[in-house]
Amino acid sequence: IQRMLIPKTAPQIPGLTITAKTRPASEIGGDTFDFFVKETRNIMYIGDSTGHGIPAGIVMIMVDVLLETFIELESTLRGMVIKLNRYIKPHLKPSMFMTMVLLEWIASENKLKWAGAGHEYVIHVKTRKGEVEAIQSGGLAVGMLPDIENYVKENEIILEEEDFVILYSDGIVEAKNIVGKIYSLARLKDFLKEQTGTEVSTDTLFEKIAIDVGRFMEGQEQLDDMTLIVMKHSNKTLAKDISTEWKSN
């Protein structure tokens, strides 16, 4: 069931190319992502449930199904996150919750909107300026409190041609090597500054990040799920299907 919920390929969205993959640390992981292309709306999310195994998988399934329902009922991302929390909280144990970022791409305005729920940073690579900005996603994890209305805000960034947006789970930046050192957000930002360019595709950048993380770990066991989404804004990019299968490096 979990494999069925993870999309097999990234969707074709006007103005965006997307490479998205997840690699669980155990048979059933807590990381997830999905895309909802509904008429004129292009909505996506990345999420990270507490723990691993069946409980994390159950939270993942509940979030995915409810989100698809609330897209039809709510006009704002903030409203979707608030309603998702309200419905899911009564069905979870106190130790069960999910951090997430829910996003919507407005192609006509080159605008990416998002509402955060205690997840990792949203990284904006301003390719032509050579700048990398890590923006706090904000909010509080879904399922942590009965009402998170005061914590949820909508944010937005305008993407210039060839800009990248990177989304990830903590399994990436908290990956450890054999001496216990973590990969870190700072290393990821430095790496992106060196490796991004107007000619670089999302597929290529994804592979470069995955290889760098793997080399950093030096054979250390993967202790947490890893999810990475690389998006690039370009009205010149040809649409293509990109598999979400994460191969070992």
Side-chain angles (χ1 to χ4, degrees), residues 102-129:
L102 182 65
L103 309 98
E104 181 170 10
W105 170 243
I106 314 296
S108 60
E109 302 177 39
N110 299 328
K111 181 189 297 183
L112 188 66
K113 299 167 61 178
W114 82 86
H119 196 71
E120 298 292 321
Y121 287 74
V122 175
I123 300 179
H124 179 198
V125 181
K126 303 174 184 179
T127 307
R128 294 181 175 176
K129 295 180 180 178

Side-chain angles (χ1 to χ4, degrees), residues 226-246:
M226 293 183 177
T227 299
L228 180 64
I229 300 177
V230 179
M231 298 187 285
K232 184 179 184 180
H233 170 46
S234 177
N235 291 310
K236 302 175 184 176
T237 304
L238 296 176
K240 64 175 182 176
D241 291 329
I242 298 177
S243 170
T244 58
E245 180 184 2
W246 187 328

Side-chain angles (χ1 to χ4, degrees), residues 132-152:
V132 179
E133 182 180 11
I135 311 167
Q136 286 187 320
S137 63
L140 196 67
V142 170
M144 187 169 285
L145 294 177
D147 185 0
I148 61 173
E149 186 170 355
N150 292 333
Y151 298 93
V152 184

